[in-house]
Amino acid sequence: MADFQLFINGEYVDAAAGETFTTTDPGTDQPIGEVAKADRADAARAIQAARTAFDEGPWPGMSGADRGARLTKLAELLEANAERFAEAEARDSGGTIKKATFADVPGAAGALRWFARMAAERPDEVALEGSPFPPSENYVRYEPYGVCTGIVPFNFPLLMACWKLGPALAAGNTSVIKPASFTSVTALMLGELAQEADLPPGVLNVIAGPGGTAGEELASNEMVDKVAFTGSTEVGRRIMQLASGTIKPVTLELGGKSANIVLDDADLDIAAACVLFGTFFHNGQVCESGTRALVHRSVYDEFVSLLVDRAGKMVIGNQLDFDTDLGPMVSRAQAETVERYVALGREEVGEPICGGRAPDGLPAELATANFYQPTIFAGVDNASRIAQEEIFGPVLCVIPFETDDEAVAIANDSIYGLGGGVQSANVERAQAIAARLKTGTVWINDYHMISPERPFGGYKQSGIGRELGTAGFDIYRQAKHIHTNPSTGRDGYMHFAALSANI
């Protein structure tokens, strides 16, 4: 039996073929446990459980208040088990225990609470204005899609599972979630809480397994009504192709190469903190990281010196230590990807002004090759590959500019448009720049502040649709217009003459 089983139809089960894979702590390369490896058949089994629960179970027929109460209970249970979930998240993903404790677990619980509130407060029916001729009374009814699948990336497995489960379940849908194979543990652990929260069997299902088999089944199976995916733009294109077979709606939150603009009037102390936080939080393994710092030339040299000084003071070490700022990358493969891009940066730009390699002096029990220093390239041309391609690691490109117009042009010169920042003492000036940026979120004098109440998503090749906020709830509901003709005589049906006076 696997240490971490699939959660299907309210029960923990092994994969039908009995296969497992090992999940490891990237900080030490030591195994955490064996995870049941779902294939297409297991994915189809989970989808069938969700289909039956939607078509025959009580969940979609419950009032929004009742569904909200169950989701609130799920959030309370997650908070009650916060320490256990935070440790599991840090060990499995390589994210620091600080991140797991103060961001991941409370963020996941907060998302569940927000969508529980939406379930109770957002009306299922909304009256529309009628018309005198032809006479009509109208309203819109909002209904769940049915079976919604969610495919979750490796960087925030618990948080993003709840970002997808929360609105889907609150709206009355049933769901199947697949976390990334590197980081499956905490999403699978949600099954325990679903049992305690008295969610009906089949309402919440979680499977782990390869994206090329289990994930593709979740996107293509004809019993699935809606798909949500967070991950790379390349895989997002594949999800769209698979979903197109049955014209499923998709929500996609994809790659990013966000620009963080530092104006000449910025408080450089705060701006430097915003840029470093925006780039190096979770080792840059964040889709909307501000990995292009656009800095006004008049403050460029001073600002770059601040960045180098402070980046060099970040503590790299065991992710389970609260004193650690940067833990390991999620895997050896991800660390090698970063190393390849840094080598490319050396060819395109020259030697980085800090970082550029694995750290020295780590304790012997840590897997040094999985760690990487915060790395900064200065004087970068925005046309270079390291400025255009998503690295998904702790690599910052610093690009000088002269005018606000030039900063906007550089920021928008990207296939992506997920996040961005403007650092300035003049809020009106910053807001004017923010209005011109082609990106889904702009933080002024801050970065990475995402909350359940505010919509999040991308422009251009950074995605389709929005998660979170009222928009992130309503996207899981279909709108049905219902028209009633209140007439009691033929005078109310004169429009039929558009066909014939003889009917």
Side-chain angles (χ1 to χ4, degrees):
M1 185 176 73
D3 298 302
F4 300 96
Q5 296 175 289
L6 314 178
F7 186 73
I8 298 176
N9 204 32
E11 297 180 342
Y12 278 105
V13 295
D14 280 325
E19 293 190 18
T20 64
F21 62 91
T22 303
T23 188
T24 61
D25 177 339
T28 62
D29 273 342
Q30 295 302 305
I32 296 170
E34 294 297 307
V35 180
K37 182 180 179 180
D39 57 16
R40 285 187 179 273
D42 295 300
R45 180 167 45 141
I47 292 166
Q48 181 63 68
R51 181 81 265 164
T52 300
F54 183 81
D55 293 342
E56 302 176 14
W59 190 254
M62 286 183 182
S63 69
D66 286 344
R67 289 195 300 270
R70 305 285 179 98
L71 289 176
T72 298
K73 179 64 174 176
L74 190 64
E76 291 171 347
L77 289 166
L78 182 54
E79 290 164 342
N81 289 273
E83 186 174 348
R84 184 165 63 93
F85 270 80
E87 181 176 348
E89 187 82 335
R91 288 193 68 204
D92 200 32
S93 72
T96 65
I97 192 68
K98 288 191 292 192
K99 165 183 168 290
T101 300
F102 301 125
D104 295 326
V105 177
L112 293 173
R113 285 185 181 278
W114 164 255
F115 289 113
R117 175 181 160 191
M118 289 296 95
E121 294 182 0
R122 296 286 281 180
D124 293 333
E125 294 182 359
V126 176
L128 302 176
E129 185 176 350
S131 62
F133 184 82
S136 68
E137 298 169 355
N138 299 271
Y139 65 96
V140 172
R141 177 176 171 80
Y142 293 98
E143 300 177 346
Y145 277 92
V147 176
C148 297
T149 58
I151 302 172
V152 177
F154 67 71
N155 53 349
F156 294 91
L158 176 65
L159 181 65
M160 297 216 174
C162 291
W163 278 18
K164 290 171 172 54
L165 286 171
L169 300 190
N173 303 283
T174 57
S175 185
V176 183
I177 293 291
K178 192 195 85 67
S181 296
F182 282 132
T183 55
S184 300
V185 169
T186 50
L188 291 169
M189 289 168 59
L190 284 173
E192 308 167 24
L193 308 188
Q195 291 171 327
E196 290 187 58
D198 199 26
L199 294 186
V203 168
L204 185 159
N205 305 273
V206 187
I207 63 171
T213 52
E216 294 212 350
E217 186 69 21
L218 296 185
S220 61
N221 189 291
E222 63 182 11
M223 289 189 290
V224 172
D225 299 296
K226 180 181 177 350
V227 183
F229 169 78
T230 300
S232 72
T233 296
E234 180 183 4
V235 177
R237 294 189 188 102
R238 177 62 176 162
I239 296 295
M240 288 185 71
Q241 292 171 347
L242 293 167
S244 70
T246 52
I247 319 298
K248 306 181 203 304
V250 296
T251 303
L252 302 175
E253 193 256 281
L254 306 175
K257 196 71 181 181
S258 302
N260 200 347
I261 300 170
V262 181
L263 300 180
D264 53 344
D265 63 357
D267 180 321
L268 297 189
D269 173 56
I270 295 174
C274 289
V275 167
L276 292 168
F277 179 63
T279 302
F280 297 122
F281 178 64
H282 196 26
N283 271 315
Q285 297 171 125
V286 184
C287 48
E288 32 71 45
S289 285
T291 50
R292 291 184 296 153
L294 279 51
V295 183
H296 194 278
R297 198 173 291 278
S298 67
V299 297
Y300 184 86
D301 291 340
E302 181 182 358
F303 191 75
V304 167
S305 294
L306 281 174
L307 294 179
V308 172
D309 177 63
R310 295 181 187 184
K313 295 176 181 177
M314 291 184 184
V315 177
I316 303 173
N318 188 327
Q319 73 269 28
L320 297 178
D321 187 336
F322 270 95
D323 291 330
T324 293
D325 300 322
L326 299 175
M329 306 298 295
V330 72
S331 66
R332 182 68 51 83
Q334 193 63 27
E336 290 171 352
T337 295
V338 172
E339 181 57 45
R340 285 195 299 273
Y341 271 104
V342 170
L344 177 63
R346 286 187 168 99
E347 296 174 7
E348 293 183 315
V349 179
E351 192 65 22
I353 57 175
C354 71
R357 57 187 175 83
D360 296 322
L362 292 179
E365 67 271 13
L366 297 183
T368 300
N370 295 346
F371 293 77
Y372 211 83
Q373 292 178 330
T375 299
I376 301 175
F377 285 95
V380 178
D381 185 333
N382 192 61
S384 66
R385 286 181 59 189
I386 62 167
Q388 289 291 319
E389 298 178 15
E390 185 177 42
I391 299 172
F392 225 61
V395 180
L396 173 64
C397 297
V398 187
I399 303 170
F401 70 88
E402 297 279 0
T403 67
D404 291 5
D405 287 346
E406 184 185 6
V408 170
I410 293 171
N412 288 338
D413 182 17
S414 171
I415 64 170
Y416 299 114
L418 190 55
V422 184
Q423 315 303 322
S424 173
N426 186 330
V427 172
E428 289 185 357
R429 179 186 179 192
Q431 289 175 339
I433 290 174
R436 298 168 64 194
L437 298 180
K438 298 176 181 177
T439 192
T441 298
V442 181
W443 293 280
I444 294 174
N445 297 327
D446 213 330
Y447 213 88
H448 283 320
M449 289 296 99
I450 300 173
S451 71
E453 298 88 353
R454 303 160 196 156
F456 179 73
Y459 284 31
K460 298 186 281 188
Q461 293 188 38
S462 284
I464 298 172
R466 293 295 180 267
E467 296 190 294
L468 308 178
T470 56
F473 176 69
D474 289 338
I475 206 168
Y476 281 89
R477 306 195 297 173
Q478 301 196 80
K480 176 189 289 182
H481 166 225
I482 297 179
H483 161 108
T484 301
N485 189 326
S487 302
T488 57
R490 296 287 290 191
D491 287 350
Y493 295 91
M494 294 176 66
H495 51 288
F496 287 0
L499 169 64
S500 170
N502 299 315
I503 62 172

